[in-house]
Amino acid sequence: MSEKKNGNYYAIVMAGGVGSRFWPSSKAKNPKQFIDILGVGETLFQTTFKRLSQLIPKENIYILTNKAYVGLIKEQVPQITDEQIVPEPEMRNTAPSILLGSMKIYQKNPDAITVIAPSDHWIEDQDAFTESLKMAFSAAEKDDRLITLGIEPTYPNTGYGYIQFEKGDAAEVRKVLQFTEKPNLKKANQFLSERNYLWNAGIFIWSAKYILECFKQFAPEMYRLFEKGKEVYNTKHEKAFLEQYYKTAANISIDYAVMEKSDAIYVIPVSFKWSDLGTWSSVKDHLASDEEGNTIINSRLVAENAENNIISGYDRKIVVLKNISDLIIVEDEEVLMIVPKEDEQDIKSLREAVMKKYGDDLG
């Protein structure tokens, strides 16, 4: 790959979420993407940056985040410059942040091809991911397309959105028919049997020029709002503009703002192992367990008649269990949580109850 071509490749890393389903390890002041949730020696954000930099010049990777996380980003990846960090004055949805990042990149390089990547996903096969990204970049350079990577499903997951493509389409880049919300189990099984549905990984690739045209067509009010700042993007005056106007942008996802309205959506099916790490139970799928099915993260376990527990400790503490099974046990420096696996969906409400009783800093 030539240096010139490589220089047109950019990334927008979405790193502003709170990750409340991983409470108490993940809190607003130190969320999921900035912690070593899998106990592998680096955070999800660090892993994502390293993965993208295999193909994209490090200086072309922009981080869209909450202004509260700027310090964490600089600490974890010191080579990232201030210009690459785009702090949102307040939390909005993905459409305004992607539009802002795209305008900044287009201002810098009108020929830019950009990948939008979540900062908190887990991908095991780096080489396969890079090859898929190369294919997507090449397709986006040739034609005006909005391209996404779709994960070939291995079981009927009801926690993911799905992408339906045209049946019988054997091309590497396939026409998308529709996006489907998280299905019930019956529908998820149906999707697998039909063999033209993929998991939606939320990874998008397009030219900066074309996505701006799409925003102008499908979200004109938002486009006009951010176009007001085109003279100040990538300058010292950008911050003041965003402080004034960003909060007035519609709180809408890129899916609803653009993707579901366009007829130029394409998908590349990929088979590398991927997870959005949405719950503590999903972590178990990516880590080894002991003979009793216990998954141990950042801790040491002594267990007697204790099976199928997920234990995430603090500072390698020894955890001793006896006669208890199927629990999620998570400790940080301030909170110890013990919840039956079957009640995992209640973690967000438990977090809110703790914050209400003991203070927002615990959430």
Side-chain angles (χ1 to χ4, degrees), residues 14 92-99 179 181 200 204 206 211 215 218-219 222 249-261:
M14 311 296 287
R92 309 303 284 161
N93 214 314
T94 53
S97 58
I98 288 172
L99 176 54
F179 292 89
E181 293 294 323
N200 185 356
F204 306 111
W206 43 54
I211 191 61
F215 269 105
F218 300 121
M222 187 183 297
N251 191 350
I252 186 172
S253 71
I254 188 66
D255 303 76
Y256 289 124
V258 174
M259 303 298 284
E260 294 186 1
K261 297 175 182 177

Side-chain angles (χ1 to χ4, degrees), residues 299-328:
S299 55
R300 294 168 288 167
L301 178 65
V302 176
E304 184 177 322
N305 191 32
E307 300 176 342
N308 301 316
N309 298 290
I310 299 172
I311 304 105
S312 179
Y314 177 70
D315 201 24
R316 299 283 299 160
K317 185 177 290 185
I318 296 172
V319 179
V320 183
L321 304 181
K322 181 178 173 67
N323 296 336
I324 54 175
S325 300
D326 299 306
L327 297 177
I328 298 170

